[in-house]
Amino acid sequence: MAITSRDFRSLRLDRIGRDFGQTHALRDVTLTVERGEFIALLGPSGCGKSTALNCIAGLLQLTDGTIWLDDRRIDAIAPEDRGFGMVFQNYALFPHMTVRRNIGFGLVTQRRPTAEITRRVDEALALVRLTEHADKLPGQLSGGQQQRVAIARAVVVGPPLVLMDEPLSNLDAKLRLEMRAEVRRIHAMLGCSTIYVTHDQEEALSLADRILVLIDGQTRQIGTPEELYARPATPEVAEFMGYRNLFRSRAETADGGVVIVVAGARLTGTPVQTVGAQAVVAIRPEDLRPTGDGPIVATVELAEYHGRDFYAEGRSADGTDLFFRSPVRVRPGEQVHLDAAPARVLVYPEAGK
Ligand code: ATP
C-alpha cells in the first residue's frame, strides 16, 4: 500500500487548555497517542471535544500547555504544516468538483506531479471502495459515500494522524454501523493514528483502542473500552457509560465486598475505591434482572420489547426508580423481584461524585 503515514512514534498533549473568555472549554488535558492507536474523545455535548480536536489540528490556538510530535513542539505551527487529516461531521466536500478532484485537492495544492496525483487518488478511491464513482459529483452520492470521499481526501496526503469530528452523526443508524466498520478497516490498513470525537459511547467502545472521557473540559478517565465499560472511575463517568441506576446508600464493609441498601433491599457490591459509610451505587440496566427471589421488589411501570429482551422501568415501595432488562415479557403493574451479581454492582465513595 503506497498511502502510508509519515513516520512518527507518538503525539503528546501536555496539559493543554483553551479558554474562550471566561469559559474554560478545555483544561489540563494530557495524553500520549502512540503510532497506530485509535483514540476516542468521548463526552457529552459542550464538554470540549471539538475544542480539543481543533487545538490538535491547529485550527485553534492553545491558551495553556504544549503539543509534541515526538520531540518536535508543534502547537505554534500552522494547520497546513502539521499535515494532519481532518474529517468533519458535515463532510465539507466541494459540491462542484468530482469525487476524484475532491480527493486530489490536497495533492494539487501541494503541487505534486500529475502522474503521482492520479496514482494516489486511484489508491485512495480503492481504499474507500469508490473507484466506480470517481467521476460523480458529491450530490450524486449517498451520505455514507460522501463521508467516504471525505475520509479519502483526508488520508490521500499520507497524514501521520487523522482527526475525525463526529464523522458518522449525519448518517442513519444502519449506515452508521456499516461506516463504523469502514473507519476501523481504513485505520488498520493505513497504520496511522486516529483521534475520533464522539458523544456516542457505543461508537467509542466499538472503535477505539483507548477512550478519553472528557467532562466539563477535563479528563475524567483514560482507559481501554473494557476498562471503561466494566470499571468507570467515578459515578459521573459511570452515568455517561450507561449505568442508569445510580443511588446514594449507606455502606457496610463485608466479606468479599460492601453491603449497600438499594430500594430498601440489602445487596452486595464491589467497591471501585475505598468506600466509607456513605456511598454511591451504580448498576447497568442489563445487570439488574428479574429473578424468582431477588431482594429488590418493584412494580413495573413501563416495558418495551427490544427484540432480544425487554427494557423496563419500575418503582419500589420507597419510590426508587429502577431501570432493568428482562429476558421474559414483563407488563406494567406486575411485581418483579430484581437482583444483580455483586461484581456488577459498583460502589463508589460518595465524595467521588
Ligand atoms: P458538541 O458535542 O455539542 O459539539 P463539544 O464537546 O465538541 O460539543 P466544544 O464545541 O468543544 O464542545 O465546546 C466546549 C465549550 O466551549 C462550550 O461551552 C462552548 O460553548 C464553548 N465554545 C466553543 N467554541 C467557542 C467559541 N468560539 N467562542 C466561545 N465559546 C466557545
Side-chain angles (χ1 to χ4, degrees), residues 16-34:
I16 66 167
R18 168 72 203 206
D19 297 339
F20 294 105
Q22 299 298 309
T23 308
H24 300 301
L26 197 67
R27 274 188 286 176
D28 211 12
V29 170
T30 292
L31 173 74
T32 300
V33 183
E34 302 295 341

Side-chain angles (χ1 to χ4, degrees), residues 87-93 142-144 146-147 150 153 167 170-171:
V87 181
F88 301 96
Q89 182 176 350
N90 59 5
Y91 321 141
L93 300 176
S142 72
Q146 290 185 46
Q147 195 52 291
R153 190 182 54 180
N170 282 346
L171 306 178

